[in-house]
Amino acid sequence: MMRKLEGNRDIPTGAVHAFVLCGGAGTRLRPVLADRPKSMALISGTPFLQLLLDRLRSQGVDDVILGTGYMAEKIESYFGSGNKRAMRIRYSREHEPLGTGGALKLAEPLISDPVLVLNGDSYVEWSLVPMLELFRAKDADLVVVLHAVADVTRYASVALNQDGRITEFIEKGIRAGPGLINAGVYLLRKEVVRRLPAGTAISLERDIFPRLLDRRVYGLVCTGLFIDIGIPDDFKRAQTLLASRIGTACHASSAPGTFGDTT
């Protein structure tokens, strides 16, 4: 899959590797999900992680690294090498919790530049080409997919300027009411990963991203479906919302005029 940028530059979307964070213990879901990792929660009989892989394939990404940890063997035995799904799937297994930043650092030898990073417990209808266009046009260090919600209390949110540049990362619980949240999909320059300390538990969202604000960090608003299955109520809601996404390639993209639109 290719698409030209201004200046006749081509974007080989297939050259972008995805790193999916799926090593968490999912303690909040234990009452309804005790026998498997959170990313393997079933949606109409299909593992949630399969929906994320389907989304990746629909965007031309077929080289994926799964960052496993808790019950890693459940994920690795189910997906294997990815051959049956026309993908290349590799694994980076944590032997102790390293946080989102530490997990990505562990996978550094396997990732592309830039690398596409996804949370393994959120379904977002992101689109890769607009992310790459914004990344190249702004010479960005980081592009974050954002989503508008009625109440940001449960999520980490952001502040944007008129150019679509992120000016503040706001921890969850600090603000309430409508706003833009970090939807858990990132396009990140590999140099940022190289600078992370190895073997250290560290959070991308809390420890790393705020430090990048004096560089080039941009947000791209996604207007499609977003759902985080991290708590039982939302996991139950996902059963209905995601049923139609099973076995389909979704092509929803950001609407023209949203922050980060470079067309």
Side-chain angles (χ1 to χ4, degrees):
M1 181 184 293
M2 304 281 287
R3 177 170 170 176
K4 288 187 176 182
L5 282 177
E6 293 179 6
N8 295 319
R9 290 179 294 171
D10 289 330
I11 303 175
T13 56
V16 175
H17 300 167
F19 177 72
V20 185
L21 291 152
C22 45
T27 52
R28 293 178 298 176
L29 278 183
R30 291 282 175 80
V32 296
L33 195 74
D35 64 337
R36 65 191 63 212
K38 180 167 49 173
S39 62
M40 294 298 286
L42 296 180
I43 306 293
S44 297
T46 298
F48 183 78
L49 183 54
Q50 180 64 56
L51 275 67
L52 303 188
L53 296 181
D54 289 347
R55 184 72 193 171
L56 286 165
R57 282 199 63 206
S58 80
Q59 297 300 307
V61 180
D62 58 10
D63 198 322
V64 180
I65 302 103
L66 300 182
T68 60
Y70 176 72
M71 291 191 179
E73 66 285 349
K74 298 268 189 180
I75 296 173
E76 295 169 10
S77 63
Y78 186 90
F79 290 103
S81 66
N83 287 341
K84 293 180 180 179
R85 294 168 175 82
M87 304 184 84
R88 181 192 189 194
I89 299 178
R90 293 173 289 169
Y91 299 91
S92 177
R93 186 193 286 202
E94 296 175 333
H95 294 287
E96 58 184 0
L98 292 173
T100 52
L104 181 57
K105 178 66 177 180
L106 184 65
E108 182 183 347
L110 305 177
I111 65 175
S112 58
D113 187 13
V115 59
L116 181 68
V117 181
L118 291 82
N119 284 345
D121 59 358
S122 299
Y123 183 88
V124 190
E125 289 182 337
W126 54 275
S127 295
L128 181 56
V129 166
M131 293 178 72
L132 280 167
E133 287 181 336
L134 180 60
F135 188 88
R136 299 287 174 85
K138 301 294 186 180
D139 193 24
D141 293 292
L142 170 67
V143 170
V144 181
V145 172
L146 308 175
H147 192 78
V149 297
D151 187 0
V152 301
T153 305
R154 246 194 71 202
Y155 306 95
S157 57
V158 305
L160 290 179
N161 67 16
Q162 290 185 340
D163 189 39
R165 189 164 181 166
I166 294 177
T167 59
E168 186 179 8
F169 287 99
I170 305 152
E171 290 189 27
K172 61 183 177 182
I174 292 178
R175 291 190 182 174
L180 292 171
I181 64 168
N182 173 353
V185 180
Y186 318 114
L187 193 61
L188 180 66
R189 193 176 295 277
K190 191 171 182 177
E191 178 197 351
V192 176
V193 183
R194 291 192 189 105
R195 292 171 179 264
L196 298 181
T200 302
I202 191 168
S203 166
L204 287 174
E205 299 82 0
R206 293 190 302 273
D207 301 320
I208 304 305
F209 291 170
R211 297 179 193 172
L212 298 178
L213 289 177
D214 60 348
R215 297 170 70 172
R216 294 171 296 275
V217 178
Y218 288 84
L220 186 65
V221 177
C222 170
T223 58
L225 177 65
F226 165 81
I227 187 163
D228 174 354
I229 64 165
I231 62 174
D233 284 351
D234 280 349
F235 175 52
K236 182 178 180 181
R237 193 162 60 96
Q239 300 296 326
T240 301
L241 289 177
L242 295 177
S244 64
R245 268 67 176 180
I246 293 172
T248 63
C250 305
H251 299 282
S253 62
S254 299
T258 57
F259 284 111
D261 187 0
T262 60
T263 58

